Amino acid sequence: MDPTTDNAGQTGDPGTARDALEALRAEIAKAVVGQDPAVTGLVVALLCRGHVLLEGVPGVAKTLLVRALAAALELDTKRVQFTPDLMPSDVTGSLVYDTRSAEFSFQPGPVFTNLLLADEINRTPPKTQSSLLEAMEERQVTVDGTPRLLPDPFLVAATQNPVEYEGTYPLPEAQLDRFLLKLTIPLPSRQDEIDVLTRHAEGFNPRDLRAAGVRPVAGPADLEAARAAVAKTTISPEITAYVVDICRATRESPSLTLGVSPRGATALLATARAWAWLTGRDYVIPDDVKALALPTLRHRVQLRPEAEMEGVTADSVINAILAHVPVPR
């Protein structure tokens, strides 16, 4: 079956599901130029039931990327602009008094969706940031003592600006650890930027993805089939030990005050497994672990102030560790 047909997402075949998810790149490329690594990261997060922190300067299509993904995956999506005056109930929902029935009824917030775009999450106070913690970890929100389940699939894609810190509230380590991946969205290459401007000159409207030709190529059934196949992907004891050795090395690094926790090690194993399946294998190899190490671990470590002053970055520390930890054969 052609995964680009209107019936996409209605099969449960793992092979068809992989074809459909691979077709995402071509479909999203109709709206977003040159962001294949970020697209892959978002798909990996969906397969692992994880969440993504997107970091990049304004104007690099972070919001457009998430909207295009939702359109190509036939998922419901909502966007919340995080501001200093945003309240927790603006995200999760609240009880509303109905004058006709003289009773309180629950009005769901924007978190009740498949793909929540939390735009500039670090611009809202910690109280509102924490309102997402239960949703991200437990897949539910509790209002007035009553837990309410969120739909499945459910993914939070949060964005933040890495260069402008005035009026922001940095995410605490406990909340950063809830994100499966931290993806950096770079400025485009010269040719990619030329392609972007050419598209706009030809009438491309980023607010109208359907006019740009973006169509659903996968759906919830494809994701379920893919997740089941990922769960069957073989992980050898040597690969498990390799992941543990990498994470333990971060705890011993002289450049870090905080290393990767066991939760981070579990996350790296899961993302490597998903990447192995996406590339067509039913077993994990060391290269899968290396491919996902940076986005999975970079936000789970904390640099020493003196190392940061010397220009050391989390990525450079992790790359050095990958170069020194023995690779299983």
Side-chain angles (χ1 to χ4, degrees):
M1 184 179 101
D2 183 356
T4 61
T5 65
D6 290 339
N7 293 324
Q10 299 306 311
T11 73
D13 177 64
T16 302
R18 184 188 285 116
D19 292 341
L21 293 179
E22 286 178 350
L24 280 175
R25 287 196 181 118
E27 203 65 21
I28 293 175
K30 295 177 181 178
V32 182
V33 177
Q35 295 294 356
D36 275 1
V39 173
T40 300
L42 287 166
V43 174
V44 166
L46 281 167
L47 292 176
C48 298
R49 292 182 168 87
H51 307 287
V52 176
L53 181 62
L54 299 169
E55 187 174 84
V57 298
V60 291
K62 298 187 296 295
T63 301
L64 179 61
L65 174 62
V66 177
R67 289 180 53 241
L69 175 69
L73 270 175
E74 203 171 24
L75 296 178
D76 180 52
T77 182
K78 290 185 174 67
R79 176 179 178 271
V80 178
Q81 182 67 49
F82 280 70
T83 57
D85 60 347
L86 192 75
M87 299 297 291
S89 58
D90 295 329
V91 178
T92 61
S94 59
L95 294 177
V96 177
Y97 184 72
D98 189 338
T99 55
R100 290 174 295 181
S101 63
E103 294 180 348
F104 284 94
S105 61
F106 178 67
Q107 183 66 37
V111 75
F112 286 86
T113 186
N114 296 125
L115 186 54
L116 176 67
L117 174 59
D119 224 349
E120 295 189 290
I121 190 173
N122 57 337
R123 290 202 172 277
T124 201
K127 184 177 181 180
T128 305
Q129 289 178 7
S130 65
S131 67
L132 275 179
L133 284 179
E134 182 188 13
M136 293 169 66
E137 190 69 18
E138 305 297 334
R139 311 285 166 153
Q140 66 178 27
V141 296
T142 302
V143 177
D144 196 34
T146 302
R148 293 173 168 85
L149 294 177
L150 295 172
D152 184 41
F154 172 68
L155 180 143
V156 173
T159 70
Q160 67 176 12
N161 182 346
V163 295
E164 187 180 348
Y165 290 105
E166 184 177 351
T168 65
Y169 303 83
L171 301 181
E173 282 70 27
Q175 187 165 353
L176 283 172
D177 205 35
R178 295 305 196 278
F179 287 99
L180 181 73
L181 300 172
K182 179 181 178 182
L183 304 175
T184 56
I185 310 298
L187 289 167
S189 66
R190 181 177 182 273
Q191 186 56 53
D192 284 344
E193 196 163 0
I194 290 174
D195 291 344
V196 170
L197 268 63
T198 300
R199 290 186 181 192
H200 280 267
E202 293 173 350
F204 171 71
N205 181 2
R207 297 173 184 81
D208 189 356
L209 295 179
R210 184 162 288 276
V214 179
R215 297 290 186 271
V217 294
D222 289 309
L223 279 177
E224 279 305 310
R227 287 169 173 175
V230 168
K232 296 176 182 177
T233 302
T234 303
I235 303 172
S236 69
E238 291 78 15
I239 293 295
T240 302
Y242 181 51
V243 170
V244 168
D245 289 342
I246 291 171
C247 294
R248 290 182 68 85
T250 65
R251 302 169 204 163
E252 300 167 1
S253 171
S255 298
L256 302 176
T257 59
L258 179 69
V260 177
S261 69
R263 178 189 287 155
T266 302
L268 181 54
L269 200 64
T271 55
R273 201 180 203 181
W275 175 243
W277 180 82
L278 277 173
T279 53
R281 278 178 282 101
D282 60 357
Y283 57 92
V284 180
I285 62 175
D287 283 350
D288 300 324
V289 177
K290 290 182 178 181
L292 272 296
L294 285 180
T296 308
L297 303 182
R298 59 165 58 108
H299 57 297
R300 304 176 192 272
V301 300
Q302 192 173 58
L303 289 167
R304 291 186 182 278
E306 55 270 28
E308 200 166 3
M309 291 176 63
E310 292 173 0
V312 176
T313 65
D315 284 13
S316 65
V317 173
I318 295 170
N319 278 326
I321 288 171
L322 291 173
H324 286 89
V325 173
V327 179
R329 296 185 178 274

